[in-house]
Amino acid sequence: MKRIPSVRERNIVLIGFMGVGKTSVGEQLAKRLFRDFIDVDQEIEKTWKMKISDIFRLKGEEAFRKIEREMTIDYCTNTSLKVISLGGGAYMQDAIRTACLDHCIVIYLDLSWSLWKERLNVLIDNRPVLQDKKVEEMEQLFTKRQPTYQKNSFQVETDGREVAEIVSYLEEVIKLGWEIYGS
Ligand code: S3P
Protein backbone atom coordinates (compact mmCIF):
# COMPACT_ATOMS: atom_id res chain seq x y z
CA MET A 1 0.00 0.00 0.00
CA LYS A 2 1.35 3.41 -0.97
CA ARG A 3 2.03 5.99 1.75
CA ILE A 4 -0.48 8.86 1.71
CA PRO A 5 1.58 12.09 1.79
CA SER A 6 1.05 14.61 4.59
CA VAL A 7 -1.38 17.47 3.85
CA ARG A 8 1.49 19.86 3.10
CA GLU A 9 3.24 17.45 0.74
CA ARG A 10 0.11 16.33 -1.08
CA ASN A 11 -0.14 17.06 -4.80
CA ILE A 12 -2.71 19.65 -5.75
CA VAL A 13 -4.85 18.44 -8.64
CA LEU A 14 -6.99 20.73 -10.81
CA ILE A 15 -10.09 19.28 -12.42
CA GLY A 16 -12.88 20.69 -14.58
CA PHE A 17 -14.33 20.74 -18.07
CA MET A 18 -12.19 21.50 -21.14
CA GLY A 19 -11.14 25.11 -21.40
CA VAL A 20 -12.03 26.26 -17.88
CA GLY A 21 -8.42 27.37 -17.31
CA LYS A 22 -6.82 24.41 -15.52
CA THR A 23 -3.46 24.91 -17.23
CA SER A 24 -3.29 28.71 -16.84
CA VAL A 25 -4.36 28.56 -13.20
CA GLY A 26 -2.13 25.56 -12.51
CA GLU A 27 1.02 27.18 -13.91
CA GLN A 28 0.59 30.31 -11.83
CA LEU A 29 -0.49 28.47 -8.71
CA ALA A 30 2.57 26.23 -8.91
CA LYS A 31 4.84 29.32 -9.07
CA ARG A 32 3.14 30.84 -6.04
CA LEU A 33 3.61 27.64 -4.04
CA PHE A 34 7.19 27.02 -5.32
CA ARG A 35 6.12 23.72 -6.86
CA ASP A 36 6.60 22.01 -10.21
CA PHE A 37 3.64 22.10 -12.56
CA ILE A 38 2.53 19.06 -14.53
CA ASP A 39 -0.07 19.15 -17.29
CA VAL A 40 -0.90 15.48 -17.88
CA ASP A 41 -2.09 16.08 -21.46
CA GLN A 42 1.23 17.75 -22.31
CA GLU A 43 3.09 14.80 -20.78
CA ILE A 44 1.03 12.36 -22.89
CA GLU A 45 1.85 14.41 -26.01
CA LYS A 46 5.56 14.31 -25.12
CA THR A 47 5.47 10.56 -24.47
CA TRP A 48 3.74 9.72 -27.73
CA LYS A 49 5.31 12.62 -29.66
CA MET A 50 1.85 13.44 -31.00
CA LYS A 51 -0.85 16.05 -30.41
CA ILE A 52 -3.88 14.81 -28.44
CA SER A 53 -6.06 15.29 -31.53
CA ASP A 54 -3.70 13.02 -33.54
CA ILE A 55 -3.74 10.40 -30.77
CA PHE A 56 -7.55 10.35 -30.97
CA ARG A 57 -7.46 10.20 -34.77
CA LEU A 58 -4.71 7.62 -35.21
CA LYS A 59 -4.93 5.46 -32.08
CA GLY A 60 -8.52 6.05 -30.96
CA GLU A 61 -10.10 7.35 -27.77
CA GLU A 62 -9.74 4.05 -25.92
CA ALA A 63 -5.96 4.07 -26.33
CA PHE A 64 -5.89 7.70 -25.20
CA ARG A 65 -7.97 6.91 -22.08
CA LYS A 66 -5.63 4.04 -21.21
CA ILE A 67 -2.45 6.13 -21.31
CA GLU A 68 -4.32 8.97 -19.61
CA ARG A 69 -5.26 6.60 -16.78
CA GLU A 70 -1.76 5.17 -16.39
CA MET A 71 0.05 8.49 -16.46
CA THR A 72 -2.43 10.39 -14.31
CA ILE A 73 -2.43 7.74 -11.59
CA ASP A 74 1.35 7.53 -11.72
CA TYR A 75 1.80 11.30 -11.24
CA CYS A 76 -0.90 11.49 -8.59
CA THR A 77 0.31 8.60 -6.45
CA ASN A 78 4.08 8.39 -7.05
CA THR A 79 5.02 12.04 -6.73
CA SER A 80 4.42 14.77 -4.16
CA LEU A 81 4.67 18.56 -3.91
CA LYS A 82 3.33 19.10 -7.44
CA VAL A 83 0.47 21.03 -8.97
CA ILE A 84 -1.14 18.76 -11.57
CA SER A 85 -3.68 19.69 -14.23
CA LEU A 86 -5.86 16.83 -15.51
CA GLY A 87 -7.53 16.49 -18.90
CA GLY A 88 -11.22 17.34 -18.66
CA GLY A 89 -12.38 13.74 -19.12
CA ALA A 90 -9.77 12.07 -16.91
CA TYR A 91 -11.72 12.47 -13.68
CA MET A 92 -14.62 10.49 -15.20
CA GLN A 93 -12.47 7.35 -14.87
CA ASP A 94 -13.15 5.70 -11.50
CA ALA A 95 -9.55 4.61 -10.98
CA ILE A 96 -8.21 8.13 -11.59
CA ARG A 97 -10.81 9.74 -9.36
CA THR A 98 -10.12 7.32 -6.50
CA ALA A 99 -6.35 7.81 -6.78
CA CYS A 100 -6.77 11.60 -6.77
CA LEU A 101 -9.15 11.71 -3.82
CA ASP A 102 -7.00 9.28 -1.79
CA HIS A 103 -3.63 10.94 -2.41
CA CYS A 104 -4.16 14.56 -3.44
CA ILE A 105 -6.01 17.79 -2.76
CA VAL A 106 -8.54 17.98 -5.60
CA ILE A 107 -9.75 21.41 -6.71
CA TYR A 108 -12.63 21.81 -9.13
CA LEU A 109 -12.61 24.90 -11.34
CA ASP A 110 -16.29 25.60 -11.82
CA LEU A 111 -17.46 27.61 -14.85
CA SER A 112 -21.08 28.06 -15.91
CA TRP A 113 -22.34 26.66 -19.20
CA SER A 114 -23.27 30.12 -20.51
CA LEU A 115 -19.72 31.46 -20.04
CA TRP A 116 -18.13 28.24 -21.27
CA LYS A 117 -20.16 28.49 -24.49
CA GLU A 118 -18.57 31.87 -25.22
CA ARG A 119 -15.14 30.16 -25.30
CA LEU A 120 -16.21 27.48 -27.73
CA ASN A 121 -14.62 29.05 -30.82
CA VAL A 122 -11.14 29.05 -29.32
CA LEU A 123 -11.51 25.55 -27.91
CA ILE A 124 -13.05 23.50 -30.63
CA ASP A 125 -10.08 23.03 -32.99
CA ASN A 126 -7.84 21.01 -30.69
CA ARG A 127 -10.52 19.28 -28.61
CA PRO A 128 -11.38 16.01 -30.42
CA VAL A 129 -14.20 15.27 -27.96
CA LEU A 130 -16.06 18.36 -29.22
CA GLN A 131 -15.61 17.65 -32.88
CA ASP A 132 -18.75 16.74 -34.84
CA LYS A 133 -20.95 17.57 -31.86
CA LYS A 134 -23.88 19.96 -31.91
CA VAL A 135 -23.94 22.61 -29.18
CA GLU A 136 -26.83 20.76 -27.49
CA GLU A 137 -24.71 17.60 -27.34
CA MET A 138 -21.83 19.56 -25.82
CA GLU A 139 -24.20 20.92 -23.21
CA GLN A 140 -25.36 17.38 -22.43
CA LEU A 141 -21.74 16.27 -21.92
CA PHE A 142 -21.04 19.36 -19.79
CA THR A 143 -24.10 18.66 -17.62
CA LYS A 144 -23.45 14.93 -17.38
CA ARG A 145 -19.95 15.50 -16.00
CA GLN A 146 -20.92 18.00 -13.32
CA PRO A 147 -21.92 15.52 -10.55
CA THR A 148 -18.56 13.75 -10.91
CA TYR A 149 -16.57 17.00 -10.71
CA GLN A 150 -18.51 17.72 -7.49
CA LYS A 151 -16.53 14.95 -5.79
CA ASN A 152 -13.65 17.21 -4.83
CA SER A 153 -11.71 18.57 -1.85
CA PHE A 154 -12.99 22.04 -2.63
CA GLN A 155 -14.17 24.08 -5.57
CA VAL A 156 -13.86 27.60 -6.85
CA GLU A 157 -16.35 29.52 -8.93
CA THR A 158 -14.50 31.07 -11.87
CA ASP A 159 -17.29 33.00 -13.60
CA GLY A 160 -16.19 36.57 -14.24
CA ARG A 161 -12.87 36.12 -12.40
CA GLU A 162 -9.43 36.64 -13.92
CA VAL A 163 -6.81 33.90 -13.63
CA ALA A 164 -4.76 36.02 -11.19
CA GLU A 165 -7.74 36.45 -8.90
CA ILE A 166 -8.51 32.72 -8.91
CA VAL A 167 -4.86 31.91 -8.18
CA SER A 168 -4.69 34.33 -5.24
CA TYR A 169 -7.88 32.87 -3.81
CA LEU A 170 -6.62 29.29 -4.17
CA GLU A 171 -3.26 30.18 -2.62
CA GLU A 172 -5.04 31.64 0.38
CA VAL A 173 -7.38 28.66 0.85
CA ILE A 174 -4.58 26.11 0.42
CA LYS A 175 -2.33 27.88 2.92
CA LEU A 176 -5.19 28.12 5.39
CA GLY A 177 -5.79 24.38 4.93
CA TRP A 178 -2.10 23.69 5.58
CA GLU A 179 -2.29 25.74 8.79
CA ILE A 180 -5.40 23.98 10.03
CA TYR A 181 -4.68 20.41 8.92
CA GLY A 182 -1.00 20.49 8.08
CA SER A 183 1.64 18.51 9.85
C1 S3P B 1 -10.79 15.86 -22.90
C2 S3P B 1 -10.20 17.00 -22.48
C3 S3P B 1 -8.89 17.46 -22.96
C4 S3P B 1 -8.05 16.26 -23.42
C5 S3P B 1 -8.80 15.43 -24.40
C6 S3P B 1 -10.13 14.90 -23.84
C7 S3P B 1 -12.15 15.51 -22.39
O1 S3P B 1 -8.19 18.15 -21.94
O2 S3P B 1 -7.67 15.48 -22.33
O3 S3P B 1 -9.03 16.21 -25.53
O4 S3P B 1 -12.61 14.38 -22.57
O5 S3P B 1 -12.77 16.40 -21.76
P1 S3P B 1 -8.52 19.68 -21.47
O6 S3P B 1 -9.55 19.59 -20.41
O7 S3P B 1 -7.22 20.17 -20.96
O8 S3P B 1 -8.97 20.39 -22.67
Side-chain angles (χ1 to χ4, degrees):
M1 171 109 79
K2 282 173 188 155
R3 185 182 79 90
I4 310 284
S6 72
V7 174
R8 273 174 193 269
E9 289 173 329
R10 226 165 274 186
N11 288 330
I12 293 163
V13 169
L14 299 180
I15 62 164
F17 206 60
M18 291 160 261
V20 296
K22 297 179 296 272
T23 303
S24 317
V25 169
E27 273 170 354
Q28 292 193 27
L29 183 64
K31 280 197 187 124
R32 290 280 188 92
L33 300 175
F34 300 97
R35 289 183 169 205
D36 290 333
F37 173 67
I38 291 165
D39 181 303
V40 179
D41 277 345
Q42 286 172 8
E43 298 304 318
I44 294 172
E45 289 185 333
K46 277 189 231 159
T47 303
W48 276 9
K49 299 184 181 60
M50 252 189 246
K51 292 266 156 217
I52 300 286
S53 45
D54 290 330
I55 298 177
F56 268 73
R57 193 166 51 83
L58 299 169
K59 311 245 178 207
E61 178 165 356
E62 207 178 308
F64 170 77
R65 295 300 177 195
K66 182 169 182 287
I67 193 173
E68 174 182 62
R69 184 167 59 250
E70 288 165 0
M71 289 184 69
T72 308
I73 293 176
D74 188 33
Y75 279 120
C76 290
T77 61
N78 291 327
T79 70
S80 56
L81 294 163
K82 308 267 185 269
V83 174
I84 303 174
S85 161
L86 263 51
Y91 206 65
M92 301 303 118
Q93 299 201 48
D94 294 346
I96 292 182
R97 198 169 57 252
T98 303
C100 290
L101 289 169
D102 285 352
H103 289 84
C104 309
I105 296 170
V106 181
I107 304 174
Y108 168 40
L109 301 189
D110 186 13
L111 180 73
S112 66
W113 166 252
S114 54
L115 287 190
W116 184 85
K117 218 169 35 167
E118 289 176 12
R119 300 183 184 178
L120 186 52
N121 286 348
V122 284
L123 293 175
I124 195 145
D125 283 346
N126 50 9
R127 299 307 198 290
V129 170
L130 301 178
Q131 241 97 114
D132 304 322
K133 275 200 175 60
K134 297 193 196 109
V135 177
E136 301 81 67
E137 290 170 317
M138 293 179 199
E139 185 172 10
Q140 276 169 12
L141 181 66
F142 183 95
T143 308
K144 189 173 152 209
R145 286 184 176 178
Q146 297 310 309
T148 307
Y149 291 138
Q150 295 295 329
K151 295 172 189 168
N152 57 57
S153 310
F154 70 94
Q155 60 192 64
V156 53
E157 169 137 6
T158 64
D159 278 24
R161 298 169 92 181
E162 297 290 332
V163 170
E165 196 188 332
I166 298 166
V167 170
S168 297
Y169 171 76
L170 291 180
E171 183 187 4
E172 206 177 305
V173 176
I174 289 164
K175 288 185 172 168
L176 186 63
W178 287 347
E179 258 178 56
I180 298 172
Y181 302 107
S183 58

Short mmCIF file of all heavy atoms in Angstrom, two decimals, residues 16-20 22-23 39 41 44 52-53 56 61 64-65 68 85-90 123 126-129 141 145 149, ligand 1:
data_model
loop_
_atom_site.label_atom_id
_atom_site.label_comp_id
_atom_site.label_asym_id
_atom_site.label_seq_id
_atom_site.Cartn_x
_atom_site.Cartn_y
_atom_site.Cartn_z
N GLY A 16 -11.82 19.85 -14.00
CA GLY A 16 -12.88 20.69 -14.58
C GLY A 16 -12.99 20.44 -16.06
O GLY A 16 -12.12 19.79 -16.67
N PHE A 17 -14.05 20.96 -16.65
CA PHE A 17 -14.33 20.74 -18.07
C PHE A 17 -13.23 21.38 -18.94
O PHE A 17 -12.51 22.26 -18.47
CB PHE A 17 -15.70 21.36 -18.40
CG PHE A 17 -16.39 20.72 -19.58
CD1 PHE A 17 -16.72 19.38 -19.58
CD2 PHE A 17 -16.74 21.49 -20.68
CE1 PHE A 17 -17.38 18.79 -20.66
CE2 PHE A 17 -17.40 20.91 -21.77
CZ PHE A 17 -17.71 19.56 -21.76
N MET A 18 -13.15 20.91 -20.19
CA MET A 18 -12.19 21.50 -21.14
C MET A 18 -12.29 23.02 -21.14
O MET A 18 -13.40 23.55 -21.17
CB MET A 18 -12.54 21.05 -22.57
CG MET A 18 -12.31 19.64 -22.88
SD MET A 18 -13.29 19.12 -24.34
CE MET A 18 -14.69 18.35 -23.57
N GLY A 19 -11.14 23.67 -21.17
CA GLY A 19 -11.14 25.11 -21.40
C GLY A 19 -11.59 25.97 -20.22
O GLY A 19 -11.84 27.16 -20.39
N VAL A 20 -11.65 25.40 -19.02
CA VAL A 20 -12.03 26.26 -17.88
C VAL A 20 -10.81 27.00 -17.31
O VAL A 20 -10.97 27.87 -16.46
CB VAL A 20 -12.75 25.48 -16.73
CG1 VAL A 20 -14.07 24.93 -17.20
CG2 VAL A 20 -11.88 24.39 -16.15
N LYS A 22 -7.63 25.25 -16.43
CA LYS A 22 -6.82 24.41 -15.52
C LYS A 22 -5.31 24.65 -15.71
O LYS A 22 -4.57 24.74 -14.74
CB LYS A 22 -7.14 22.91 -15.74
CG LYS A 22 -8.59 22.54 -15.43
CD LYS A 22 -8.84 21.06 -15.69
CE LYS A 22 -8.69 20.64 -17.13
NZ LYS A 22 -9.87 20.76 -17.98
N THR A 23 -4.90 24.75 -16.98
CA THR A 23 -3.46 24.91 -17.23
C THR A 23 -2.98 26.30 -16.81
O THR A 23 -1.96 26.43 -16.13
CB THR A 23 -3.15 24.65 -18.73
OG1 THR A 23 -3.61 23.33 -19.04
CG2 THR A 23 -1.67 24.74 -19.02
N ASP A 39 1.17 19.23 -16.53
CA ASP A 39 -0.07 19.15 -17.29
C ASP A 39 -0.07 17.76 -17.92
O ASP A 39 0.76 17.47 -18.79
CB ASP A 39 -0.06 20.24 -18.37
CG ASP A 39 -1.34 20.23 -19.18
OD1 ASP A 39 -1.66 19.18 -19.76
OD2 ASP A 39 -2.02 21.27 -19.24
N ASP A 41 -1.93 16.17 -19.99
CA ASP A 41 -2.09 16.08 -21.46
C ASP A 41 -0.77 16.41 -22.18
O ASP A 41 -0.42 15.76 -23.17
CB ASP A 41 -3.19 17.04 -21.94
CG ASP A 41 -4.58 16.43 -21.80
OD1 ASP A 41 -4.67 15.21 -21.60
OD2 ASP A 41 -5.56 17.19 -21.86
N ILE A 44 1.44 13.42 -21.95
CA ILE A 44 1.03 12.36 -22.89
C ILE A 44 1.53 12.72 -24.29
O ILE A 44 2.07 11.88 -25.01
CB ILE A 44 -0.51 12.20 -22.88
CG1 ILE A 44 -0.99 11.69 -21.52
CG2 ILE A 44 -0.97 11.26 -24.01
CD1 ILE A 44 -2.51 11.67 -21.34
N ILE A 52 -2.74 15.59 -28.95
CA ILE A 52 -3.88 14.81 -28.44
C ILE A 52 -4.86 14.51 -29.59
O ILE A 52 -5.36 13.40 -29.73
CB ILE A 52 -4.64 15.56 -27.32
CG1 ILE A 52 -3.71 15.84 -26.12
CG2 ILE A 52 -5.89 14.80 -26.89
CD1 ILE A 52 -3.36 14.69 -25.26
N SER A 53 -5.10 15.52 -30.44
CA SER A 53 -6.06 15.29 -31.53
C SER A 53 -5.57 14.19 -32.47
O SER A 53 -6.36 13.39 -32.98
CB SER A 53 -6.35 16.58 -32.29
OG SER A 53 -5.16 17.24 -32.55
N PHE A 56 -6.15 10.77 -30.79
CA PHE A 56 -7.55 10.35 -30.97
C PHE A 56 -7.77 9.82 -32.38
O PHE A 56 -8.42 8.81 -32.59
CB PHE A 56 -8.50 11.54 -30.72
CG PHE A 56 -9.00 11.65 -29.30
CD1 PHE A 56 -8.16 12.07 -28.28
CD2 PHE A 56 -10.31 11.34 -28.97
CE1 PHE A 56 -8.60 12.18 -26.97
CE2 PHE A 56 -10.78 11.45 -27.67
CZ PHE A 56 -9.93 11.87 -26.66
N GLU A 61 -9.88 6.82 -29.13
CA GLU A 61 -10.10 7.35 -27.77
C GLU A 61 -9.74 6.34 -26.69
O GLU A 61 -9.19 6.70 -25.65
CB GLU A 61 -11.57 7.82 -27.61
CG GLU A 61 -11.83 8.33 -26.20
CD GLU A 61 -13.10 9.13 -26.02
OE1 GLU A 61 -13.81 9.38 -27.03
OE2 GLU A 61 -13.38 9.50 -24.86
N PHE A 64 -6.18 6.47 -25.92
CA PHE A 64 -5.89 7.70 -25.20
C PHE A 64 -6.28 7.56 -23.73
O PHE A 64 -5.53 7.93 -22.82
CB PHE A 64 -6.63 8.90 -25.83
CG PHE A 64 -6.54 10.14 -24.98
CD1 PHE A 64 -5.37 10.89 -24.95
CD2 PHE A 64 -7.60 10.53 -24.17
CE1 PHE A 64 -5.27 12.01 -24.13
CE2 PHE A 64 -7.51 11.64 -23.36
CZ PHE A 64 -6.34 12.39 -23.35
N ARG A 65 -7.49 7.02 -23.47
CA ARG A 65 -7.97 6.91 -22.08
C ARG A 65 -7.07 5.99 -21.26
O ARG A 65 -6.90 6.18 -20.07
CB ARG A 65 -9.42 6.41 -22.05
CG ARG A 65 -10.43 7.37 -22.69
CD ARG A 65 -10.48 8.72 -21.99
NE ARG A 65 -11.40 9.64 -22.66
CZ ARG A 65 -11.42 10.95 -22.44
NH1 ARG A 65 -10.58 11.52 -21.61
NH2 ARG A 65 -12.27 11.72 -23.08
N GLU A 68 -3.90 7.91 -20.53
CA GLU A 68 -4.32 8.97 -19.61
C GLU A 68 -4.45 8.42 -18.19
O GLU A 68 -3.97 9.00 -17.22
CB GLU A 68 -5.66 9.55 -20.09
CG GLU A 68 -6.28 10.57 -19.16
CD GLU A 68 -7.63 11.08 -19.66
OE1 GLU A 68 -8.57 10.27 -19.79
OE2 GLU A 68 -7.74 12.28 -19.92
N SER A 85 -2.44 19.40 -13.52
CA SER A 85 -3.68 19.69 -14.23
C SER A 85 -4.10 18.45 -15.02
O SER A 85 -3.30 17.88 -15.77
CB SER A 85 -3.41 20.88 -15.16
OG SER A 85 -4.37 20.93 -16.15
N LEU A 86 -5.34 18.02 -14.82
CA LEU A 86 -5.86 16.83 -15.51
C LEU A 86 -6.61 17.22 -16.77
O LEU A 86 -7.20 18.30 -16.83
CB LEU A 86 -6.86 16.10 -14.58
CG LEU A 86 -6.36 14.92 -13.75
CD1 LEU A 86 -5.12 15.26 -12.96
CD2 LEU A 86 -7.46 14.45 -12.82
N GLY A 87 -6.65 16.30 -17.75
CA GLY A 87 -7.53 16.49 -18.90
C GLY A 87 -8.98 16.47 -18.41
O GLY A 87 -9.28 15.82 -17.41
N GLY A 88 -9.84 17.18 -19.12
CA GLY A 88 -11.22 17.34 -18.66
C GLY A 88 -12.01 16.05 -18.48
O GLY A 88 -12.93 15.99 -17.68
N GLY A 89 -11.63 14.99 -19.23
CA GLY A 89 -12.38 13.74 -19.12
C GLY A 89 -11.76 12.75 -18.15
O GLY A 89 -12.37 11.75 -17.78
N ALA A 90 -10.52 13.04 -17.72
CA ALA A 90 -9.77 12.07 -16.91
C ALA A 90 -10.52 11.69 -15.63
O ALA A 90 -10.58 10.52 -15.25
CB ALA A 90 -8.40 12.66 -16.56
N LEU A 123 -11.80 26.90 -28.44
CA LEU A 123 -11.51 25.55 -27.91
C LEU A 123 -11.64 24.45 -28.94
O LEU A 123 -10.91 23.46 -28.90
CB LEU A 123 -12.52 25.20 -26.80
CG LEU A 123 -12.47 25.98 -25.51
CD1 LEU A 123 -13.61 25.54 -24.61
CD2 LEU A 123 -11.14 25.69 -24.83
N ASN A 126 -8.71 22.08 -31.20
CA ASN A 126 -7.84 21.01 -30.69
C ASN A 126 -8.48 20.20 -29.56
O ASN A 126 -7.79 19.65 -28.71
CB ASN A 126 -6.47 21.56 -30.28
CG ASN A 126 -6.60 22.75 -29.38
OD1 ASN A 126 -7.71 23.06 -28.94
ND2 ASN A 126 -5.49 23.42 -29.10
N ARG A 127 -9.82 20.13 -29.58
CA ARG A 127 -10.52 19.28 -28.61
C ARG A 127 -11.33 18.21 -29.37
O ARG A 127 -12.48 18.43 -29.73
CB ARG A 127 -11.47 20.09 -27.71
CG ARG A 127 -10.84 21.17 -26.84
CD ARG A 127 -9.71 20.67 -26.00
NE ARG A 127 -9.32 21.49 -24.88
CZ ARG A 127 -8.71 22.67 -24.95
NH1 ARG A 127 -8.49 23.26 -26.10
NH2 ARG A 127 -8.34 23.29 -23.85
N PRO A 128 -10.72 17.04 -29.61
CA PRO A 128 -11.38 16.01 -30.42
C PRO A 128 -12.75 15.60 -29.89
O PRO A 128 -13.63 15.25 -30.67
CB PRO A 128 -10.40 14.83 -30.38
CG PRO A 128 -9.40 15.14 -29.32
CD PRO A 128 -9.39 16.61 -29.15
N VAL A 129 -12.93 15.69 -28.56
CA VAL A 129 -14.20 15.27 -27.96
C VAL A 129 -15.36 16.17 -28.42
O VAL A 129 -16.52 15.77 -28.42
CB VAL A 129 -14.06 15.28 -26.41
CG1 VAL A 129 -15.39 15.09 -25.72
CG2 VAL A 129 -13.09 14.20 -25.96
N LEU A 141 -22.99 16.81 -22.48
CA LEU A 141 -21.74 16.27 -21.92
C LEU A 141 -21.31 17.10 -20.71
O LEU A 141 -20.93 16.58 -19.66
CB LEU A 141 -20.64 16.29 -23.00
CG LEU A 141 -19.29 15.74 -22.58
CD1 LEU A 141 -19.37 14.24 -22.29
CD2 LEU A 141 -18.23 16.00 -23.66
N ARG A 145 -21.18 15.61 -16.78
CA ARG A 145 -19.95 15.50 -16.00
C ARG A 145 -19.99 16.24 -14.66
O ARG A 145 -19.17 15.97 -13.79
CB ARG A 145 -18.77 16.03 -16.83
CG ARG A 145 -18.37 15.07 -17.93
CD ARG A 145 -17.17 15.58 -18.66
NE ARG A 145 -16.69 14.64 -19.66
CZ ARG A 145 -15.65 14.88 -20.46
NH1 ARG A 145 -15.01 16.03 -20.37
NH2 ARG A 145 -15.26 13.98 -21.33
N TYR A 149 -17.51 15.94 -11.13
CA TYR A 149 -16.57 17.00 -10.71
C TYR A 149 -16.87 17.47 -9.27
O TYR A 149 -15.98 17.99 -8.59
CB TYR A 149 -16.68 18.21 -11.64
CG TYR A 149 -16.17 18.01 -13.06
CD1 TYR A 149 -16.88 18.52 -14.14
CD2 TYR A 149 -14.97 17.35 -13.31
CE1 TYR A 149 -16.43 18.37 -15.45
CE2 TYR A 149 -14.51 17.19 -14.62
CZ TYR A 149 -15.24 17.71 -15.68
OH TYR A 149 -14.78 17.56 -16.97
C1 S3P B 1 -10.79 15.86 -22.90
C2 S3P B 1 -10.20 17.00 -22.48
C3 S3P B 1 -8.89 17.46 -22.96
C4 S3P B 1 -8.05 16.26 -23.42
C5 S3P B 1 -8.80 15.43 -24.40
C6 S3P B 1 -10.13 14.90 -23.84
C7 S3P B 1 -12.15 15.51 -22.39
O1 S3P B 1 -8.19 18.15 -21.94
O2 S3P B 1 -7.67 15.48 -22.33
O3 S3P B 1 -9.03 16.21 -25.53
O4 S3P B 1 -12.61 14.38 -22.57
O5 S3P B 1 -12.77 16.40 -21.76
P1 S3P B 1 -8.52 19.68 -21.47
O6 S3P B 1 -9.55 19.59 -20.41
O7 S3P B 1 -7.22 20.17 -20.96
O8 S3P B 1 -8.97 20.39 -22.67
#
